């Protein structure tokens, strides 16, 4: 049987890098980074889709600079809002499946129990609004799509909380970390493995389950708890809990973003590991040195 063509966007990002690598056994992977496919350019998206004619598109590219999105709002909306809709329309034309990722930041964070998929959305920042626009554009296209909302993504490359804490731990004796924002850390490796497991069961089976799902490790943590887990038993730095109010950022963050994963588990028959187990696997995995962050 002919191997499917799989187009991956954002292939130099945390998720995209893992996905492009792990999808290789499942098809002819066309891995594109921003220089090869600029998601801010609608014509480039159409040309890439019509040129490659993929049977699966995995959109791992996104504008993820949450604070900068407050000022680069138009770019964030182009990449996170408009591009997924164009990918979806082109996927529909080709009869292809689209896999896309979204965020817990579509919610306002006022709940104290995990958010189900159909909870009311109310983004608190420009990034969250742009991601919600992307979800809506995909839904409006009528394409066959799996949209996975996830949260607090980290890994051994790129810019993320794990690498930031490791760098700061080497530089400072004391770190104040926000303790009143609750969410779930997710290793990009776990998220990519889950995606590949779904694709590996066959595109028709994946397409049958088209819809919106929360894809996340189990458990929950504050940034403070996550930082403590990263630093482990090391005597320094000393980590102290601070309040969001003590660490002002341009973008407002939801206070609570735990995603309920029951719909995912029922549809696909497996759960992701506890975030602490995923973190242990991540730090034991061969990674690349931090770029910065
Ligand atoms: N990171 C998180 O904490 C988090 C949380 C919840 C959901 N998500 C979602 O999960 C998905 C994967 O995120 P991630 O953590 O892997 O993000 P990431 O590491 O920031 O990777 C995103 C990739 O998209 C690329 N990109 C940005 N603008 C682009 C453009 N105009 N055209 C093409 N590529 C472009 C980036 O390239 P450059 O490096 O050149 O900018 C980067 O390689 C995204 O949909 C994101 O919204 C992430």
């Amino acid at each position: 049987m002919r191997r499917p063509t799989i187009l991956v966007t954002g292939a130099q990002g945390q998720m995209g890098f893992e996905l492009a690598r792990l999808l290789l056994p499942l098809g002819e992977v066309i891995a594109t980074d921003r220089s090869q496919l600029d998601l801010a350019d609608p014509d480039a998206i159409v040309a890439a889709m019509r040129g490659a004619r993929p049977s699966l598109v995995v959109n791992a590219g996104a504008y993820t600079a949450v604070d900068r999105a407050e000022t680069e709002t138009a770019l964030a909306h182009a990449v996170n809002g408009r591009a997924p809709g164009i990918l979806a329309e082109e996927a529909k034309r080709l009869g292809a499946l689209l896999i896309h990722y979204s965020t817990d930041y579509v919610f306002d964070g006022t709940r104290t129990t995990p958010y189900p998929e159909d909870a009311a959305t109310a983004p608190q920042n420009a990034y969250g609004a742009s991601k919600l626009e992307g979800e809506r554009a995909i839904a409006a296209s009528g394409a066959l799509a799996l949209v996975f909302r996830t949260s607090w993504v980290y890994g051994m490359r790129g810019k993320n909380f794990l690498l930031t804490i490791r760098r700061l731990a080497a530089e400072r004796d004391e770190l104040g970390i926000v303790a009143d924002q609750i969410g779930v850390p997710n290793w990009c490796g776990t998220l990519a493995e889950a995606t590949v497991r779904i694709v590996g069961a066959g595109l028709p089976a994946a397409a049958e389950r088209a819809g919106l799902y929360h894809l996340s490790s189990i458990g929950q943590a504050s940034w403070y708890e996550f930082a403590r887990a990263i630093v482990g038993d090391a005597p320094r730095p000393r980590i102290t809990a601070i309040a969001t109010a003590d660490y002002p950022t341009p973008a407002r963050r939801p206070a609570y973003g735990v995603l309920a994963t029951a719909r995912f588990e029922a549809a696909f028959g497996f759960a992701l590991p506890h975030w602490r187990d995923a973190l242990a696997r991540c730090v034991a995995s061969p990674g690349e040195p931090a770029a910065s962050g």
Side-chain angles (χ1 to χ4, degrees):
M1 209 171 79
R2 211 178 126 252
R3 279 156 60 81
T5 298
I6 305 172
L7 179 69
V8 179
T9 70
Q12 286 300 319
Q14 303 189 78
M15 296 257 281
F17 187 82
E18 294 298 322
L19 283 161
R21 193 170 63 85
L22 294 174
L23 284 165
L24 278 176
L26 300 182
E28 299 303 323
V29 176
I30 303 174
T32 61
D33 66 11
R34 188 210 295 253
S35 67
Q36 292 146 327
L37 172 51
D38 181 357
L39 293 169
D41 180 348
D43 294 340
I45 300 173
V46 171
M49 287 291 286
R50 295 188 186 182
R53 303 186 60 79
S55 29
L56 171 65
V57 191
V58 185
N59 184 31
Y63 182 105
T64 56
V66 175
D67 288 316
R68 234 170 43 225
E70 296 297 310
T71 44
E72 285 190 338
T73 310
L75 180 58
H77 278 271
V79 176
N80 294 343
R82 188 177 58 197
I86 301 168
L87 285 170
E89 279 159 21
E90 291 300 313
K92 190 178 178 195
R93 274 185 86 242
L94 294 168
L97 175 70
L98 169 66
I99 296 181
H100 174 78
Y101 302 92
S102 189
T103 172
D104 59 314
Y105 282 12
V106 298
F107 296 121
D108 65 5
T110 55
R111 277 177 77 112
T112 51
T113 54
Y115 279 94
E117 285 79 354
D118 55 3
T121 51
Q124 297 297 293
N125 55 46
Y127 166 76
S130 71
K131 294 295 293 184
L132 181 59
E133 188 188 331
E135 289 185 8
R136 288 182 173 155
I138 292 170
S141 74
L144 281 173
L146 290 167
V147 177
F148 295 128
R149 286 189 190 132
T150 189
S151 64
W152 297 19
V153 180
Y154 67 90
M156 295 303 272
R157 62 196 310 278
K159 287 186 181 171
N160 60 64
F161 188 80
L162 167 70
L163 296 179
T164 300
I165 293 297
R166 283 187 157 193
R167 175 171 55 79
L168 292 176
E171 293 169 4
R172 301 198 196 159
D173 288 327
E174 184 161 351
L175 293 179
I177 305 291
V178 169
D180 56 0
Q181 287 172 33
I182 306 295
V184 187
N186 277 291
W187 177 35
C188 59
T190 318
L191 300 173
E193 281 171 4
T195 304
V196 171
R197 181 165 169 177
I198 289 163
V199 173
L203 291 184
E208 264 172 36
R209 291 162 179 78
L212 173 65
Y213 298 93
H214 289 171
L215 171 66
S216 175
S217 267
I218 54 172
Q220 66 173 51
S222 64
W223 291 112
Y224 165 77
E225 288 168 314
F226 186 22
R228 290 200 59 147
I230 291 166
V231 170
D233 296 332
R236 57 173 289 278
R238 197 161 74 83
I239 300 186
T240 55
I242 64 168
T244 298
D246 298 328
Y247 187 73
T249 53
R252 209 171 140 191
R253 263 84 174 163
Y256 180 88
V258 180
L259 300 170
T261 54
R263 181 186 287 179
F264 177 91
E265 288 157 22
F268 300 105
F270 66 97
L272 269 56
H274 192 281
W275 70 264
R276 287 185 188 275
D277 297 328
L279 176 62
R281 272 195 62 207
C282 171
V283 297
S285 71
E288 292 191 6
S292 64

